[in-house]
Amino acid sequence: MNKYMEEAIILSEDNTEGGPFGTVIVKDNKIVGRGKNKVLKENDPTSHAEVNAIKDACKNLNTHDLSNCVLYTTCYPCPMCLGAIIWSNIKEVYYGNTASDADAIGFRDDKIYEFIKGNNKIIDLKQIDRDKTIEAFKNYKGKIY
């Protein structure tokens, strides 16, 4: 068994704070971030294992860029977590369970995948006030941070 996946599994086994999901992030053969699902404990639907591990790694490494890190998670990441993984620049992900395995225990991402494909409208997105909201973008463009 992979030693990093083993650590993720240990995190997933304590599932009283949320679902049975655990994640570790590794850089240079060292665990730099850990996370488990805390949706129930924190009353936060974004408190997934991958997101929590990314936050932990960013804090520990003092950066928002997790390039050259590897993520190990006990289940195929949901769309939100996939987005967070991509935004954090993690390019290598190992997962255990499938999305179908998660569906079988009540964690369903199918509505989100259908929405992404444009096959299912579950939210109503309407653009308003772009003439006002674009000002912050114009001010930001060209600034160096």
Side-chain angles (χ1 to χ4, degrees):
M1 171 180 273
N2 178 283
K3 67 181 180 179
Y4 302 121
M5 184 59 80
E6 190 170 8
E7 287 292 320
I9 291 168
I10 290 168
L11 290 166
S12 76
E13 289 172 341
D14 178 18
N15 60 7
T16 58
E17 298 177 348
F21 305 96
T23 302
V24 296
I25 297 175
V26 176
K27 184 172 185 177
D28 299 326
N29 296 314
K30 180 183 175 203
I31 295 175
V32 296
R34 289 179 169 80
K36 61 182 177 177
N37 186 300
K38 294 184 177 186
V39 169
L40 299 177
K41 179 181 180 188
E42 297 180 0
N43 291 319
D44 179 355
T46 68
S47 193
H48 289 198
E50 295 88 345
V51 171
N52 290 331
I54 288 168
K55 288 179 179 182
D56 189 44
C58 289
K59 180 179 131 190
N60 292 334
L61 296 174
N62 194 32
T63 184
H64 67 279
D65 184 356
L66 298 180
S67 296
N68 302 314
C69 290
V70 179
L71 187 143
Y72 295 82
T73 187
T74 57
C75 189
Y76 186 85
C78 77
M80 176 185 69
C81 292
L82 284 171
I85 291 164
I86 291 167
W87 279 112
S88 65
N89 294 316
I90 295 172
K91 305 287 190 242
E92 192 172 354
V93 175
Y94 295 93
Y95 66 92
N97 297 315
T98 66
S100 295
D101 295 328
D103 181 49
I105 63 166
F107 293 87
R108 298 184 55 217
D109 300 333
D110 57 333
K111 287 183 180 180
I112 300 169
Y113 290 119
E114 288 300 311
F115 180 80
I116 291 168
K117 291 179 196 173
N119 297 337
N120 186 4
K121 190 166 185 171
I122 59 173
I123 61 173
D124 193 11
L125 293 169
K126 297 177 184 176
Q127 184 181 31
I128 62 170
D129 297 325
R130 182 180 180 271
D131 59 321
K132 303 292 186 215
T133 59
I134 197 67
E135 292 303 317
F137 280 32
K138 288 178 181 177
N139 291 334
Y140 178 84
K141 187 177 179 180
K143 290 185 179 181
I144 299 174
Y145 290 92

